Every structure is written in structure tokens, then in C-alpha cells.
């Protein structure tokens, strides 16, 4: 039986575990989750998913086949320092911490471990994550296959070079929030339009699902699909003209670019912290 240990019990851990179990490829008894101090959160995980939970790093990581580092980037250094003596070299470490380079993780661990960086998103909870993976030099075909198998249970997987992960973070890692923001704006219009909230939500959700399916199934570009909906002098053209006046497309481009830059800045900050810690012997 495999042992998959999650270091951290936040929303991403919850989303990944929910997706893994829903897919049926993993069983609750294979999965462990731990944190430092939030026993209520661990109790919730045990009730909701039937998995093992513990606040002991030894119990969490002993004989783990895969350890998933799922903490905030600012907490990576402390979490790995507390875990490294309990991690075996044979364990595959998967990090979902945005912006933290594999070389930074190696610097904390100080052992030749296979490391895979993953950038999923919270749509993992419904098996619809878009996940990008990259690996360090110690991760070979076996480790990559294990990582791909895990993340394919929660959606689609793409392999990228590590220097592309900041862009992935800004695009698809944070992407669900952009779509929810769009849905917020569409819902906000119902007061003006006079639609009932439940009716409007149903129409908005199905519109988003339908548009996503069209993008997935069609060979046409987004521009072509947009033009097919836009009749000269029609309602769509009138609405799009307002979006253009507010420079919404440029705003989205700037949004994604800034998110990617923030991922890069966080990685640089972590790298500097590790370098400083190394000078003090940590």
C-alpha cells in the first residue's frame, strides 16, 4: 500500500485530496495529512475524508512514498526544516508552493531527493484542475509517472520547464479566481436587469460551462468564436464595445502578468531566506 503524506492542511490540500478520492484511484487509508497546531482542521479532514491525520512529523512522514508540501510560500522554509530529518531520500517530494524553486527546496533539505514542483488550482476538488509539473535532476521516469498519475486524478497535466512555472502560476494557478471575479460582475448586473438571483446564477454558470466546452472542443481560436457570436449592430457588439472602452482585455493581461511577477518575487524572497539561513548554519 502506498503512503501519501500531505505537509499542510489548507485549502489546496483539501482540494487535492477530494479530487484524489473522488477519482477512485486512491483510498483513504493511503493518505495522511498533518499540520503543526490546528487540530480542529485535522479532525475535519478525518471526518470528511476518512484519512489519517497527525501532528507528529515522524508519524506523518515515516515510510512515505510521496510527501506533498502544501503550505504557503512564506512557510516553506520552516515546514521543510521541521520535516527534513523525517524525510527519506527514497521519498518523492511534491511541492505545490507557488514561486519556490526546486534549488531552494534542495538547499533546505540538503539531501539528493527527487523533487517535483506542481502548480494545480483549486478546481482539483471537482476533478477539473489544470496542473503544470516540472522536476529536479533527481526525479526520473518513475517519479514523474507517480506525479503525473496523482495529478491526473484531479484534472489535466502539462509538463513545463521550471522557468515557465511563474507564468503558469499567474495564468492557471490563480485563474479560477479571475473566472469567479467575472461571475461576480455578471451576478452584480442582475439588480439592473431585474432577474431573480437563482435564475441569473443558473444562466451564468451554464454560460461559463458552455463557453469552456466550446473552447475545448472547437479547433477555432477564441477570437474566431467571439466573432461568431458578434453580429454587426447587435447586442453582443454593444456589450463588447463597452468592455473595450474600459480596456478590460488590457486589464486581464496586466492582472496575469502581475500575478506571474509576484510568483517570481516570492521565489526570490525564499531563495534569499535560505541563503541567509545557510550562513547561520540552519
Amino acid at each position: 500500500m502506498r503512503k501519501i503524506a500531505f505537509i499542510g492542511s489548507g485549502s489546496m490540500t483539501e482540494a487535492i485530496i477530494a479530487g484524489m478520492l473522488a477519482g477512485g484511484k486512491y483510498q483513504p487509508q493511503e493518505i495522511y495529512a498533518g499540520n503543526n497546531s490546528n487540530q480542529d482542521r485535522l479532525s475535519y479532514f478525518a471526518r470528511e475524508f476518512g484519512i489519517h491525520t497527525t501532528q507528529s512529523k515522524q508519524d506523518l512522514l515515516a515510510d512515505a512514498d510521496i510527501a506533498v508540501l502544501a503550505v504557503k510560500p512564506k512557510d516553506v522554509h520552516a515546514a521543510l526544516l521541521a520535516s527534513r530529518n523525517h524525510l527519506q531520500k527514497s521519498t518523492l517530494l511534491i511541492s505545490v508552493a507557488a514561486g519556490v524553486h526546486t534549488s531552494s527546496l534542495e538547499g533546505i533539505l540538503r539531501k539528493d531527493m527527487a523533487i517535483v514542483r506542481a502548480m494545480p488550482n483549486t478546481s482539483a476538488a471537482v476533478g477539473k484542475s489544470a496542473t503544470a509539473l516540472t522536476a529536479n535532476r533527481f526525479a526520473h521516469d518513475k517519479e514523474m509517472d507517480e506525479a503525473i498519475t496523482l495529478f491526473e486524478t484531479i484534472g489535466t497535466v502539462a509538463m513545463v520547464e521550471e522557468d515557465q512555472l511563474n507564468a503558469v502560476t499567474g495564468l492557471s494557478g490563480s485563474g479560477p479566481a479571475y473566472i469567479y471575479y467575472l461571475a461576480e460582475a455578471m451576478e452584480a448586473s442582475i439588480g439592473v436587469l431585474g432577474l431573480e438571483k437563482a435564475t441569473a446564477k443558473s444562466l451564468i454558470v451554464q454560460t461559463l460551462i458552455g463557453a469552456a466546452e466550446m473552447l475545448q472542443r472547437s479547433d477555432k481560436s477564441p477570437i474566431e468564436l467571439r466573432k461568431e457570436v458578434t453580429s454587426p449592430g447587435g447586442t453582443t457588439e454593444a456589450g463588447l464595445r463597452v468592455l473595450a472602452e474600459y480596456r478590460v482585455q488590457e486589464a486581464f493581461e496586466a492582472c496575469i502578468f502581475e500575478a506571474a511577477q509576484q510568483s517570481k518575487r516570492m521565489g526570490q524572497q525564499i531563495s534569499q531566506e535560505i541563503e541567509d539561513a545557510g550562513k547561520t548554519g540552519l
Side-chain angles (χ1 to χ4, degrees):
M1 184 181 296
R2 294 163 295 189
K3 179 177 179 180
I4 302 165
F6 284 81
I7 305 170
S9 56
S11 58
M12 183 55 71
T13 293
E14 183 175 356
I16 294 173
I17 291 175
M20 289 170 65
L21 294 177
K25 199 172 185 67
Y26 297 91
Q27 301 303 313
Q29 59 267 30
E30 297 178 287
I31 301 173
Y32 289 66
N35 63 36
N36 287 333
S37 58
N38 192 339
Q39 183 57 51
D40 289 344
R41 181 68 171 163
L42 295 182
S43 296
Y44 163 77
F45 271 57
R47 290 193 310 271
E48 183 73 11
F49 302 118
I51 66 171
H52 303 279
T53 61
T54 179
Q55 290 184 326
S56 164
K57 288 289 191 296
Q58 173 62 32
D59 293 344
L60 178 66
L61 299 172
D63 301 318
D65 298 291
I66 299 173
V68 182
L69 180 64
V71 298
K72 293 180 173 62
K74 68 180 181 63
D75 297 326
V76 164
H77 193 191
L80 272 191
L81 278 179
S83 301
R84 69 183 179 189
N85 290 336
H86 304 292
L87 284 165
Q88 294 81 40
K89 287 178 65 174
S90 59
T91 300
L92 167 61
L93 179 67
I94 298 177
S95 170
V96 298
V100 185
H101 201 280
T102 55
S103 62
S104 296
L105 300 172
E106 291 172 8
I108 302 170
L109 291 168
R110 298 182 183 176
K111 59 182 75 176
D112 297 343
M113 285 182 64
I115 300 173
V116 171
R117 276 185 66 193
M119 182 42 59
N121 59 43
T122 53
S123 299
V126 292
K128 297 295 183 181
S129 175
T131 303
L133 301 177
T134 195
N136 73 344
R137 63 191 185 280
F138 302 115
H140 304 298
D141 289 346
K142 175 179 177 292
E143 289 79 18
M144 290 308 305
D145 288 345
E146 289 176 341
I148 290 169
T149 297
L150 190 156
F151 285 101
E152 280 184 340
T153 68
I154 60 171
T156 61
V157 175
M159 301 300 301
V160 300
E161 296 297 323
E162 186 157 19
D163 61 6
Q164 296 176 311
L165 268 190
N166 290 326
V168 170
T169 301
L171 181 65
S172 60
S174 300
Y178 311 150
I179 303 303
Y180 302 146
Y181 188 85
L182 173 61
E184 278 185 72
M186 295 174 79
E187 281 193 345
S189 71
I190 65 175
V192 178
L193 299 175
L195 286 173
E196 293 183 1
K197 188 172 183 179
T199 300
K201 181 177 180 180
S202 175
L203 292 170
I204 291 167
V205 169
Q206 190 57 40
T207 299
L208 294 174
I209 291 172
E213 284 287 325
M214 286 292 290
L215 284 167
Q216 186 174 56
R217 296 187 185 187
S218 176
D219 293 331
K220 297 176 182 178
S221 68
I223 293 174
E224 291 173 304
L225 291 172
R226 171 173 58 78
K227 287 181 177 179
E228 287 182 354
V229 186
T230 310
S231 302
T235 58
T236 306
E237 184 181 68
L240 289 173
R241 185 166 57 248
V242 175
L243 294 181
E245 289 171 359
Y246 279 91
R247 301 178 67 181
V248 171
Q249 184 168 338
E250 290 92 333
F252 267 100
E253 290 172 2
C255 163
I256 293 168
F257 178 80
E258 179 59 22
Q261 290 299 106
Q262 178 65 8
S263 175
K264 182 177 180 179
R265 287 191 290 266
M266 288 191 301
Q268 291 171 338
Q269 181 179 346
I270 294 293
S271 295
Q272 186 61 53
E273 289 175 2
I274 293 166
E275 182 179 336
D276 293 343
K279 294 175 182 177
T280 62
L282 292 178

